[in-house]
Amino acid sequence: SLAIAALPFGEGGPLLSAVYGGGQLSIFVGWIIILFLASSVAVSLAEIASRYPTSAGPYYWSFQIANESNRTVLSFINGWVWLIGNWTITLSVNFGLASLINATAAIYHPDFAAEPWQLLLIFYAILLVSFVVCTFANRFLPMVDTICAGWTGLSIFIICIALSVKAASGRHSASYTLGNYDKSLSGWGGFTFFIGLLPAAYTFSAIGMISAMAEEVHDPTIKVPRAIALSVPVLWFFGLFFVIPICATLPPLADITEAPGAQALPYIFGTVMGTPGGGLGLMFLVLAITMFCSISITVAASRTTWAFARDDAIPLSRVWSKVSPGLGVPVFALALVTIVQMLLGLINLGSSSAFTAFVSVGVQALQVSYGIPIALSLFHKRTQVSHARWKLPPI
């Protein structure tokens, strides 16, 4: 779950949205607001996942909870929303990694800007690396998640100390760190604050994708819901040590909006550390975390695709639902996820805001797919989940 969330990338990748969303107030208060919203979603999904542990996730839950008269249609619709959410959120991670690599190069060469086709090639290289690892190193993936958890914790500690100590662009007062709010950059007036919620929402958006691994873990009725439910408070707590130092040392917001590659984090690290080497060192930590995330979220998306194909819900289901006997991996489903990302990545050739679009679509699709089974469960007074091994107390 920590690998899928990839905290420094989840908050740092779309951080420019929070800058346009008003700056420090949107970043810090948004982190608190999203905690309560994400926690409600997480614990609700967790008890449903405990009752129905399957890689199919929300669309199967919708089928089980809904009335017999509309369960098939509702499940089919939610399945496609769920699948699109998986594909686009995975796409946003891989394309975001390519964008961060491009922007990191600009730390040493401020005038450098990769051409759209060059960025696309970087993106394709990342996809191929993830595909190879997910296909041929499947048995090592639990170890990858463990390494990622340790690497993430260590990286947050290093970034917190480095930014707080160096602060080459100056340190803000406590009131400015937590309360600065500039509405002039977005042009949306009072709505500006909500634009700034995107980074926090993006960080917690993929928690439900943990359910895709339900058929590959021991005792999924306990371990899967526990991973879903605990991921939010754990991520939120460690996120404070990432968010607050950034807010306290943030360069002028107007300068950040001109960051190379429309990626704020490399510019902030380079400016706050005062040297290109310092900025590169911190970005190396984030890039490694994002690569771990790329692998983990690609695996989850491929399992979701395989499960949907297994239920004969997408064209050529017989192909995508095959599992390689030798590798124990749904290679064709994994290939489909990769090809879909490659095709959607072509959008970047005609639009410079492709990354933000991928993030937005992924977040919204996943939240809708979560909301349907949760709403159905509440409508039926949570009678189905009352039999789950992991559940909330009665309302």
Side-chain angles (χ1 to χ4, degrees), residues 319-334:
V319 176
W320 315 127
S321 60
K322 289 182 179 180
V323 177
S324 170
L327 298 172
V329 173
V331 178
F332 291 107
L334 187 58

Side-chain angles (χ1 to χ4, degrees), residues 82-155:
W82 174 234
L83 190 63
I84 291 170
N86 273 255
W87 286 348
T88 51
I89 208 72
T90 304
L91 169 62
S92 73
V93 171
N94 290 316
F95 194 84
L97 177 55
S99 299
L100 283 178
I101 292 174
N102 172 42
T104 300
I107 294 177
Y108 274 94
H109 306 282
D111 296 330
F112 171 78
E115 296 294 331
W117 66 268
Q118 294 174 321
L119 187 61
L120 187 67
L121 291 180
I122 297 173
F123 170 60
Y124 281 178
I126 293 168
L127 291 180
L128 293 176
V129 169
S130 293
F131 177 82
V132 170
V133 172
C134 295
T135 301
F136 299 104
N138 184 62
R139 62 193 180 97
F140 297 111
L141 294 183
M143 182 177 65
V144 170
D145 289 339
T146 302
I147 294 173
C148 180
W151 185 274
T152 299
L154 179 63
S155 297

Side-chain angles (χ1 to χ4, degrees), residues 127-218:
L127 291 180
L128 293 176
V129 169
S130 293
F131 177 82
V132 170
V133 172
C134 295
T135 301
F136 299 104
N138 184 62
R139 62 193 180 97
F140 297 111
L141 294 183
M143 182 177 65
V144 170
D145 289 339
T146 302
I147 294 173
C148 180
W151 185 274
T152 299
L154 179 63
S155 297
I156 291 173
F157 176 77
I158 293 173
I159 291 170
C160 175
I161 298 299
L163 296 182
S164 301
V165 171
K166 190 64 176 177
S169 58
R171 298 180 182 86
H172 304 301
S173 65
S175 60
Y176 191 94
T177 295
L178 305 180
N180 177 53
Y181 184 50
D182 184 354
K183 298 185 292 184
S184 64
L185 297 174
S186 71
W188 283 90
F191 191 76
T192 296
F193 174 80
F194 297 98
I195 299 174
L197 297 181
L198 181 60
Y202 181 57
T203 302
F204 295 106
S205 63
I207 53 175
M209 292 178 68
I210 298 170
S211 65
M213 305 305 295
E215 298 176 36
E216 300 182 48
V217 299
H218 175 68

Side-chain angles (χ1 to χ4, degrees), residues 91 120 123-124 127 336-349 358:
L91 169 62
L120 187 67
F123 170 60
Y124 281 178
L127 291 180
L336 178 60
V337 172
T338 303
I339 292 170
V340 168
Q341 291 182 83
M342 285 182 166
L343 293 176
L344 290 176
L346 294 173
I347 295 174
N348 181 64
L349 297 177
F358 298 149

Side-chain angles (χ1 to χ4, degrees), residues 21-44:
Q24 283 90 335
L25 181 70
S26 294
I27 297 173
F28 179 70
V29 177
W31 192 249
I32 296 175
I33 292 174
I34 295 300
L35 163 69
F36 293 101
L37 297 177
S39 295
S40 300
V41 172
V43 294
S44 298

Side-chain angles (χ1 to χ4, degrees), residues 12-27:
L15 190 61
L16 192 62
S17 296
V19 173
Y20 280 109
Q24 283 90 335
L25 181 70
S26 294
I27 297 173

